[in-house]
Every structure is written in structure tokens, then in C-alpha cells.
Amino acid sequence: MLNFKRNDLCLEDVKLSSLAEKFQTALYVYSKKQLLENFRSYKDACGKETLICFACKTNSNAAILKLLANEGAGADTTSGGEIFRCLSAGFSPSKIVYAGVGKTAEEIEYALKNKIFMFNVESFEELAAIDKIAAKLKTKTRFAFRVNPDVDPSTHSYIKTGKKGTKFGIPIEDAVNAYLNAKKYKNVEALGIHSHIGSQILDIKPFKEAALKIKKTISEIEKNGLRIEYINCGGGLGIAYQKSQKAPLPSKLFSEIFNVFKGENRKFIFEPGRSIAANAGHLLCKVIYRKKSGGKSFLITDAAMNDLIRPTLYEAYHDIIPVKKSAAKKVKSDIVGPICESGDFLGKDRMLPVLAQGEYLLITCAGAYGAAMSSQYNSRPMLAEVLVDGASAKLIRKRNSYKDLLFNEM
Ligand SMILES: *Cc1c(COP(=O)(O)O)cnc(C)c1O
């Protein structure tokens, strides 16, 4: 939805420079059209029996969640707080699934009282805890064990989750015993099996590899008289952060996975996050100062690692583009924030036209794991967020004030 009108970079029909002037920088900007298009590319290709649960940890802004809830999305949550946000945004509890290795008793109780659809259980002790709390509340619930299928997608090590030796799920070789042992709990019903192998995966093969292992495990579980109705394939599909990358379409993921389970009469859940939110959002910022040091050129912006931590945390690449087309000669620059950390950078060694102080830059594809992961480190108030819809732009989160920095402190 990014496009140039003459020399001005626009999101849908709105000039980014006008957003910067109206709402101040740094600023998160989202395209409603892109967000809905991304969700519909899942929804329209998956068939009736499949539930698409948006992984709301990628972007949990209330307005964004509401748009997806209205489209009929389910939600993949990872904390009591996320369940609260999703219920507030209008998601049906019957479409909420809940994963996470460290669900507390309070979170489990909250999820049970709100009658979420299913727990994605990551350890045997967790299942015992859910059963006990459900008994106390005189209720029953449904669960899937999250299994770790030991596949190795080629992605950053911090976002690999389905490889042996990570903290996630239970080893797939223990799955049959886990399901059999679970029969002793009377307040939890085994309804599905879950796996989520990692994030920013651009190759379908590891998904298929995991599905094949899960198929084999299910057949062993079902030999013992249990029925696994739902297969939850997790999220993880990547996006093209760079022009050299190509992301597979959801329809391709579906066809590969459905093919593995052909003729088995299963229901499916998918939990996409990044592939729905990432390219729908961008971080707009301003060049404050320029300087040269040690043979390098620096552009110092009013956005920093507290606003977008992905470059710092995962050495993630975000394309950075000036919002005015320029014929000026290009120089190699590091784009950095004002924070007192050498890790505070947004891009390194980027060829950008020579920019003046006060010019705006767009850090692209920051809609997932952007605002949601931001902090107020260095007492930098949380940013505002704006949703663009055609030619209109609406504030969907106010910028925090200095006073907000003291919120709850005593
Ligand atoms: C983070 C997460 C997802 C979403 O992953 P993406 O790579 O953003 O699609 C899905 N399921 C679980 C359990 C997760 O933890």
C-alpha cells in the first residue's frame, strides 16, 4: 500500500509527510487495506473447517484487533493480558487459543472463567495445574499438547521454537505417553495437537516436515482409543523484508499441509501473526542530526531501539526509505536512535540520498513485533499509532506524555 504520488511517498492515499506533520514523529502508521488483505489471504484460502487465529502478540493495538475480530478471526494468545485485550476487542472466546510455557494459576483461572476455546499445553505439570483449577471452578476445558517436532527452519536462532533443546512444547517422542497419561484428568479433554516451529520462515519444507511427524504421532495416539480432532499448525510464515526475499502464499502452506492429512477428516487451526501484521505497518521518523565519525556517516533519528527493537534483538533488516523522492547523490549511512547503547540502530550501511535535517524516513514492515515490543527505555514516551484507510487517517493510540511516564509509580 506504499506508493509514490509524484515525489511523495504515500500510505494508501495519504502522504506520509502530512502524517508526520499532523501527528509528530516518531509514529507508527498502519494500512487498513493491507491488514485486511493479509488476513483475507488466509481466510479465503483455508476452507470452512479451519480457524485462523491471529497471533496477537505481534500487534495488540485495540483498533487493529477489532478490525480482525470483525473479519471473523480467532486469536492466538500468550498471556492473560492478551486474552483480556482480545475479549475487549470483540473476539469470541470460542475462537481464542492460549499458548505459553509459563501460564500462571491466575492466568489459567482467568482463561477458564472466560471459557476460551483451547489451551495449547506446553508441559505435563501445566496440564495438571489446568485440571486442578478447572475442578476448583467446577468447569471443563479442552487442550492440545504443543509438541516439539524437532525440525530446524532456517531463521534467526532466537525465533526457532521447534528444534530439540528449546523450552517450547513437549518432545514429540513423549507425545503418545502424554496423551495417554492425560486420560486420568477429568476436567480437561484432549481435543487437538499443536506445533509452532518458529517465525519468519520463508520455506514451506519445514512446515511439511513437522506435519508429517505429527501425522505419524496422531496415528499412534489414536491406536490407543483417543481422537485428535484439531491439528494446530501454529504460525511462522515469513514476509519479504528485503527485495531479494520471497514469501510463500498462505494458500501454498495450506495445500502442502492439507495434502499431508488428505482423507483424514481433521479440523485445522493456523496462528499467523507476522504475515498478517508486518507489512501493514511502518515506523515514520525524522532525521534530527547528521554526523560523521570514524569514516562513517550517521543519521540520528527520533525513533530508537525502544520503539523498534527488532534490529537490535535479532539483527533484523527493515528497508528504510526517505518519504520524499530525491535526486541527491547517495551515501552509505547508519540510521541510529538517540539512546545510550551501541546496539541502538535501525539500519546499518544503507545507501540513502543525502538528507537534510528534519527530513522524514520510513522504516518499513514494522507492523509486527514493532509497537508491541516497544518500551519506554530512556524514559522515551510510548509512540502514537495511526490507522490509514483510503484518504483518511485516524489516531488509534495517543502518544504518552511525560506525566504518563510516572503512571503507577509512587
Ligand atoms: C509467536 C507465535 C505465533 C505467530 O508467529 P508468526 O511468526 O508471527 O506468525 C503463533 N503461534 C505461537 C504459539 C506463537 O508463539
Side-chain angles (χ1 to χ4, degrees):
M1 300 306 146
L2 290 173
N3 62 94
F4 274 100
K5 291 197 184 11
R6 290 169 168 261
N7 289 327
D8 290 297
L9 185 60
C10 299
L11 185 60
E12 299 194 23
D13 301 324
V14 178
K15 273 187 200 171
L16 287 159
S17 57
S18 73
L19 289 179
E21 272 141 35
K22 181 163 178 199
F23 297 101
Q24 312 296 305
T25 52
L27 179 74
Y28 272 101
V29 294
Y30 302 101
S31 158
K32 177 176 171 183
K33 195 168 167 203
Q34 185 72 64
L35 182 79
L36 296 185
E37 199 171 276
N38 292 344
F39 176 71
R40 288 171 188 159
S41 71
Y42 276 94
K43 183 78 182 164
D44 295 346
C46 72
K48 272 208 307 293
E49 295 287 14
T50 298
L51 182 61
I52 305 297
C53 291
F54 174 60
C56 71
K57 71 170 184 279
T58 58
N59 190 314
S60 52
N61 177 285
I64 300 283
L65 291 182
K66 196 167 168 197
L67 282 174
L68 293 169
N70 287 344
E71 288 285 301
D76 164 48
T77 61
T78 56
S79 71
E82 286 187 356
I83 295 171
F84 167 77
R85 278 184 177 276
C86 288
L87 292 170
S88 309
F91 284 90
S92 162
S94 66
K95 291 183 180 174
I96 295 179
V97 297
Y98 177 20
V101 296
K103 302 177 186 81
T104 65
E106 291 77 16
E107 289 178 307
I108 291 168
E109 185 162 332
Y110 182 72
L112 287 169
K113 283 184 172 161
N114 284 289
K115 306 203 175 322
I116 66 159
F117 180 42
M118 207 186 310
F119 286 82
N120 292 328
V121 171
E122 310 225 13
S123 65
F124 211 73
E125 288 190 357
E126 180 195 326
L127 188 68
I130 295 170
D131 181 68
K132 193 168 148 209
I133 297 167
K136 186 186 85 179
L137 298 175
K138 299 196 169 48
T139 188
K140 290 192 165 142
T141 192
R142 298 143 303 278
F143 77 94
F145 273 119
R146 176 175 182 169
V147 299
N148 182 335
D150 191 26
V151 298
D152 192 2
S154 53
T155 189
H156 192 279
S157 65
Y158 287 7
I159 52 176
K160 281 182 191 178
T161 54
K163 179 93 188 85
K164 235 185 205 150
T166 64
K167 68 179 175 181
F168 301 98
I170 59 172
I172 196 159
E173 59 272 20
D174 298 346
V176 178
N177 273 334
Y179 279 94
L180 292 182
N181 281 325
K183 281 190 183 175
K184 69 174 182 238
Y185 295 124
K186 297 301 166 220
N187 297 282
V188 289
E189 178 202 353
L191 189 65
I193 190 163
H194 173 251
S195 80
H196 169 71
I197 57 174
S199 199
Q200 183 53 14
I201 302 167
L202 291 169
D203 178 6
I204 295 287
K205 260 189 265 142
F207 290 107
K208 188 174 172 186
E209 201 185 317
L212 286 166
K213 288 190 176 183
I214 281 166
K215 179 187 158 106
K216 195 160 153 259
T217 304
I218 291 175
S219 82
E220 283 167 41
I221 295 167
E222 291 189 338
K223 269 184 212 148
N224 291 281
L226 281 159
R227 163 84 185 144
I228 301 293
E229 192 177 348
Y230 279 88
I231 298 169
N232 184 333
C233 303
L237 211 56
I239 70 141
Y241 284 104
Q242 312 191 38
K243 286 188 189 70
S244 60
Q245 294 176 318
K246 209 164 152 37
L249 291 171
S251 56
K252 172 85 174 143
L253 176 68
F254 294 147
S255 69
E256 290 284 343
I257 287 184
F258 294 164
N259 202 27
V260 169
F261 296 98
K262 205 162 58 195
E264 289 198 10
N265 190 24
R266 308 278 178 197
K267 291 178 180 154
F268 293 89
I269 300 173
F270 289 84
E271 303 172 331
R274 186 191 308 275
S275 49
I276 288 178
N279 70 353
H282 313 279
L283 177 56
L284 184 57
C285 63
K286 183 163 74 180
V287 175
I288 311 175
Y289 299 117
R290 307 163 305 166
K291 71 174 177 187
K292 289 198 165 71
S293 174
K296 290 191 85 150
S297 291
F298 292 89
L299 294 170
I300 301 158
T301 68
D302 56 4
M305 64 183 275
N306 70 300
D307 305 309
L308 177 66
I309 203 170
R310 297 191 68 256
T312 308
L313 190 59
Y314 318 118
E315 297 176 304
Y317 181 98
H318 289 267
D319 216 11
I320 300 178
I321 41 184
V323 309
K324 287 265 185 230
K325 234 181 219 165
S326 159
K329 85 169 183 349
K330 291 191 171 173
V331 288
K332 201 189 263 184
S333 307
D334 284 8
I335 296 91
V336 302
I339 289 181
C340 269
E341 306 260 352
S342 304
D344 180 23
F345 63 91
L346 299 161
K348 284 190 167 168
D349 297 325
R350 303 300 176 85
M351 290 304 291
L352 288 173
V354 173
L355 294 165
Q357 268 182 290
E359 288 202 68
Y360 300 117
L361 286 170
L362 192 70
I363 301 156
T364 60
C365 298
Y369 307 104
M373 276 186 145
S374 66
S375 75
Q376 302 196 114
Y377 181 44
N378 268 213
S379 289
R380 293 166 47 84
M382 200 95 95
L383 299 185
E385 296 172 81
V386 164
L387 182 68
V388 169
D389 178 11
S392 87
K394 233 179 20 207
L395 191 65
I396 57 170
R397 187 192 193 284
K398 274 200 260 181
R399 186 179 304 279
N400 278 9
S401 65
Y402 285 157
K403 225 172 138 191
D404 294 329
L405 292 173
L406 300 178
F407 179 69
N408 272 349
E409 290 181 24
M410 38 187 99

